[in-house]
């Protein structure tokens, strides 16, 4: 369910808000037969989410509020997700949109997001496969190992931080021609990945 609206106005323009709530349930049942080994698995996850965002105009040339700045607005958002098999995770962020002159738009945003492991990464059964040939990056040799696949109930959430700076110029008015450049920096702490990913 999503609700959008403009609950009130400021001198520079109307404040826009958006609210979202959702519920998602997933059920995964599987059966695996490898020779004489049979593995039966049943996994389930219910996810509830709530999200809110707001966009506040700060300067407006059209409304003659701090018109020397052009068009400037700030936005903020926050979301919380509850996973039945994992717990609560938080996402938040904000940004600025600035149009100093009509053909030029500059964007800046920052987002902090926590991500949960999938239900398979948490709960898949352990499968042992002997005599698998892999390349050992430490010794520089190809060796035979006993490979373990499956979930890990001790996995924690990853944490992503994304900074984005971007600009767009439309040099010829009345056309669809524009030039755009973006800089994005992402840092991920405690990422979840399968070996042998570095």
């Amino acid at each position: 369910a999503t609700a959008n609206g403009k609950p009130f106005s400021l001198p520079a323009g109307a404040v826009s808000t958006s609210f979202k709530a959702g519920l998602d349930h997933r059920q995964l049942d599987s059966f695996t037969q490898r020779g004489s080994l049979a593995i039966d698995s049943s996994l389930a996850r219910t996810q509830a989410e709530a999200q809110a965002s707001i966009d506040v105009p700060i300067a407006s040339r059209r409304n003659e509020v701090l018109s020397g700045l052009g068009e400037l607005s700030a936005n903020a958002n926050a979301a919380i997700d509850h996973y039945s098999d994992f717990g609560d995770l938080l996402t938040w962020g904000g940004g600025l949109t600035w149009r100093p002159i009509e053909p030029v738009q500059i964007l800046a945003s920052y987002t902090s997001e926590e991500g949960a492991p999938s239900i398979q990464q948490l709960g898949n059964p352990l499968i042992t496969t002997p005599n698998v040939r892999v390349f050992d990056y430490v010794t520089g040799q190809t060796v035979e190992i006993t490979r373990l696949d499956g979930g890990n109930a001790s996995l924690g959430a990853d944490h992503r931080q994304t900074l984005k700076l971007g600009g767009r110029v439309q040099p010829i008015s009345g056309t669809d021609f524009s030039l755009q450049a973006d800089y994005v920096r992402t840092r991920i702490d405690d990422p979840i990945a399968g070996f042998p990913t570095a």
Side-chain angles (χ1 to χ4, degrees), residues 163-184:
L163 173 67
K164 181 177 180 180
L165 302 173
R168 186 175 59 140
V169 178
Q170 192 170 12
I172 306 173
S173 62
T175 69
D176 290 333
F177 176 71
S178 63
L179 302 172
Q180 181 166 333
D182 293 299
Y183 168 77
V184 179

Side-chain angles (χ1 to χ4, degrees), residues 44-113:
R45 168 179 283 179
T46 301
Q47 177 186 354
E49 64 172 334
Q51 179 179 331
S53 63
I54 186 170
D55 197 317
V56 179
I58 299 171
S60 174
R61 187 181 295 108
R62 288 171 296 184
N63 296 331
E64 298 181 351
V65 176
L66 301 175
S67 56
L69 293 176
E71 304 289 331
L72 176 65
S73 65
N75 62 77
N77 60 80
I80 186 167
D81 292 273
H82 174 75
Y83 297 88
S84 59
D85 58 341
F86 192 77
D88 297 328
L89 297 178
L90 183 65
T91 299
W92 61 272
L96 293 170
T97 302
W98 183 33
R99 192 183 289 270
I101 57 176
E102 192 59 34
V104 178
Q105 185 179 49
I106 298 171
L107 304 171
S109 67
Y110 174 82
T111 303
S112 174
E113 177 183 7

Side-chain angles (χ1 to χ4, degrees), residues 34 37 39 120-121 124-134 144-152 193-196:
R34 281 191 177 183
L37 179 63
I39 300 175
Q120 293 93 338
Q121 289 170 332
N124 268 358
L126 186 65
I127 299 174
T128 303
T129 308
N131 303 321
V132 178
R133 294 178 63 81
V134 298
E144 289 189 352
I145 64 166
T146 298
R147 177 172 160 167
L148 302 177
D149 295 282
N152 180 355
F195 290 109

Side-chain angles (χ1 to χ4, degrees), residues 132-146 195-197:
V132 178
R133 294 178 63 81
V134 298
F135 181 74
D136 187 335
Y137 292 97
V138 176
T139 63
Q141 299 175 344
T142 298
V143 296
E144 289 189 352
I145 64 166
T146 298
F195 290 109
T197 303

